[in-house]
Amino acid sequence: VVLVSGEERIAIPLPQHPDSPAGIDVKGDRMAISDFYGHRIILVSDNQDVTFGRQGSGPGEFNHPAQLRFFGEKLFVADAYNNRIQVFDAENNQVLSVGEDDDLAGVIGLYVDEDYLMATDFENHRILIYNRKGDLLQILEDRFQNPTALIRSGNELFAGNHQSQSIVVFRRR
């Protein structure tokens, strides 16, 4: 992994090389990398390097993990083709699984903040908005053609729209 800051490049050694890094998030001295084809998560920190998960559909198993996000002491992972979001505690135990009853098909993008857990539903052309407990609050189905990445900034939600090669912006009033 190489970080670029201006002209400076810093190589960060990983405990294992990801087959296909699909998502990355950093919180303090902790970095999480999802290995899409390796069906696992690589965690790197000053104190330890940990790899967890394997291919499968059970708790803590993945079928192509994509975007991931730290929030508080939890790690949220878009488990793309298990069609769910898995939530892990600081010891890498699954504490919540979200979306399994919502007919998801390809959870690629993920965003978490103090209010919401949002996920892209790539194949169904929509975004699902949950509270952080996993209760479905809203489905956004308008204007999407294979949504990918998500980010919220203030009153705006930005979503990558793969098929139309665009960004969709929703503004909350």
Side-chain angles (χ1 to χ4, degrees):
V1 174
V2 176
L3 297 179
V4 178
S5 175
E7 296 297 317
E8 182 180 5
R9 292 178 185 222
I10 303 165
I12 298 174
L14 296 176
Q16 295 187 34
H17 297 286
D19 194 20
S20 177
I24 184 168
D25 198 20
V26 176
K27 180 181 180 193
D29 72 340
R30 298 170 61 203
M31 180 184 343
I33 302 123
S34 61
D35 187 356
F36 191 76
Y37 292 121
H39 308 285
R40 63 188 175 156
I41 305 299
I42 301 169
L43 297 172
V44 180
S45 73
D46 286 341
N47 301 328
Q48 64 178 355
D49 299 329
V50 175
T51 302
F52 72 94
R54 62 181 178 161
Q55 188 168 16
S57 59
E61 297 177 336
F62 301 101
N63 188 357
H64 300 92
Q67 189 59 58
L68 44 73
R69 294 278 184 242
F70 286 114
F71 192 85
E73 294 302 312
K74 294 190 171 67
L75 178 64
F76 294 74
V77 180
D79 190 0
Y81 295 107
N82 276 329
N83 305 310
R84 64 185 176 186
I85 300 112
Q86 292 195 69
V87 184
F88 297 91
D89 64 16
E91 287 77 40
N92 308 322
N93 299 306
Q94 185 204 62
V95 294
L96 183 64
S97 181
V98 177
E100 292 177 305
D101 297 326
D102 298 321
D103 297 318
L104 295 166
V107 182
I108 304 295
L110 179 68
Y111 180 75
V112 184
D113 66 16
E114 60 278 352
D115 299 316
Y116 303 108
L117 165 58
M118 302 179 206
T120 62
D121 186 2
F122 187 80
E123 300 293 336
N124 289 322
H125 314 288
R126 60 190 186 156
I127 292 174
L128 285 79
I129 301 174
Y130 300 89
N131 64 24
R132 285 202 352 255
K133 295 178 188 174
D135 301 318
L136 182 61
L137 302 175
Q138 185 176 4
I139 299 175
L140 304 175
E141 297 181 276
D142 191 28
R143 299 183 238 159
F144 294 111
Q145 295 173 314
N146 305 109
T148 54
L150 287 172
I151 190 83
R152 181 177 160 202
S153 179
N155 289 331
E156 296 177 321
L157 175 65
F158 297 82
N161 212 11
H162 174 73
Q163 192 65 29
S164 68
Q165 301 171 335
S166 65
I167 303 295
V168 175
V169 181
F170 288 90
R171 287 191 176 97
R172 188 179 351 170
R173 298 174 196 239

